[in-house]
Amino acid sequence: MAYEARRAADRVDTGRAHSARVYDFILGGKDHYQVDIEAGAAMCAEWPALPVHMRANRAFMHRAARYLAREEGVRQFLDIGTGLPTSPNLHEIVQAERPDAGVVYVDNDPIVLAHAEALLTSAPEGRTAYADADMRDPGTIIGSPAFRDILDLGEPVGLMVIGMLHFVLPPEDHPVLRRLLAPLPPGSFLAATIGTADFAPQEVGRVAREYERRGMPMALRTRAQAAAFFDGLDLVEPGLCQVHRWRPEPGRPLDDDRDIAMYGAVARIP
């Protein structure tokens, strides 16, 4: 992994902003470049609530993963679009509930691969692996050694697609997701978040245009369009909602709906 990390670092394009590094900058991380700072600052100028929105998206991932491990007994996860390793990572969340849980992390950003060793610090009873692959090429993910070595397709899998679907444009979006779901056995789960402009259309629209201007086009979905990603699956209560409203932590004040531009849901494969 150390050799692969060095090769990955050599591939990093420091002249062009990348969504994972912009996300890292806005959330106060340290793994980004000047071009990402400029992009993130411009986006926050368009919509000052962007950091609130991004924190809510990551908090949804934590709650959804914890729910699947604790209440549904899921012991293996496929995390698409992992992003930069910011603790707690998915394996830390699920292995706190089930120490023997296995996690396959997937991303195609060289800087994520360069930091992937931080994602492989599994509990002794569990396992983690990293696949350097693009979500738009599900065959590479499904055929990867990480997928084959970690995931037992005789048992349920938790497929996590957090903060990714708005970067997969139609007509690719639904076929890509269905291809990722196809090998998973009944009783598996999809946890996904989908970007929307339903609650702050002008501000979020400006952010989307800024992303596109910097080479990161996105598709923002209405509630009906977001719901279509879960067609044929059984939604877990409370169904599809803004991410901060999905099983919020008791006693914690809710963010303003206008500050959250992401739908989220967890659904079971029947």
Side-chain angles (χ1 to χ4, degrees):
M1 175 60 72
Y3 174 69
E4 291 180 359
R6 288 195 298 271
R7 290 184 61 194
D10 292 340
R11 298 186 351 240
V12 174
D13 182 357
T14 61
R16 180 176 177 177
H18 189 283
S19 59
R21 301 195 310 256
V22 172
Y23 186 76
D24 176 77
F25 163 69
I26 292 174
L27 291 183
K30 62 183 188 309
D31 296 307
H32 50 261
Y33 299 97
Q34 184 61 34
V35 66
D36 307 302
I37 294 172
E38 293 170 0
M43 293 167 190
C44 289
E46 297 292 356
W47 189 37
L50 187 56
V52 176
H53 154 83
M54 288 184 169
R55 286 193 294 269
N57 181 65
R58 188 158 181 85
F60 169 89
M61 184 274 281
H62 291 163
R63 296 195 306 277
R66 188 174 295 114
Y67 165 81
L68 291 176
R70 178 185 296 171
E71 300 189 35
E72 297 290 352
V74 177
R75 297 188 302 112
Q76 46 186 1
F77 293 81
L78 177 61
D79 185 28
I80 305 295
T82 297
L84 291 159
T86 303
S87 187
N89 290 295
L90 177 61
H91 70 277
E92 295 172 292
I93 295 291
V94 299
Q95 290 179 351
E97 304 295 332
R98 297 189 171 272
D100 62 342
V103 176
V104 176
Y105 289 110
V106 179
D107 210 302
N108 71 327
D109 179 16
I111 198 171
V112 177
L113 176 57
H115 290 271
E117 289 183 349
L119 299 170
L120 304 180
T121 55
S122 172
E125 303 93 329
R127 299 179 68 194
T128 62
Y130 181 86
D132 184 15
D134 192 324
M135 177 181 178
R136 296 171 184 80
D137 185 6
T140 299
I141 297 170
I142 294 165
S144 69
F147 187 98
R148 295 194 306 268
D149 293 347
I150 299 292
L151 302 182
D152 176 1
L153 297 182
E155 296 186 12
V157 175
L159 173 61
M160 314 294 288
V161 187
I162 307 299
M164 287 297 298
L165 286 169
H166 47 277
F167 291 118
V168 185
L169 307 183
E172 284 187 287
D173 48 1
H174 286 273
V176 162
L177 184 60
R178 291 298 156 181
R179 181 72 181 89
L180 289 169
L181 287 167
L184 306 186
S188 295
F189 290 84
L190 167 66
T193 62
I194 300 107
T196 183
D198 282 358
F199 302 93
Q202 293 184 356
E203 297 89 339
V204 176
R206 291 197 299 267
V207 170
R209 288 191 292 274
E210 190 67 31
Y211 266 98
E212 183 167 12
R213 189 174 75 81
R214 296 172 184 271
M216 299 172 283
M218 64 170 59
L220 298 169
R221 272 81 176 202
T222 64
R223 189 182 190 285
Q225 290 169 332
F229 285 108
F230 299 92
D231 285 350
L233 308 179
D234 298 329
L235 287 168
V236 171
E237 289 294 331
L240 181 72
C241 56
Q242 283 177 283
V243 289
H244 65 307
R245 293 187 173 275
W246 194 90
R247 298 179 177 243
E249 295 179 7
R252 177 173 176 171
L254 281 179
D255 295 316
D256 190 315
D257 287 354
R258 294 169 296 181
D259 293 344
I260 308 299
M262 200 81 81
Y263 286 114
V266 175
R268 182 181 184 276
I269 299 175

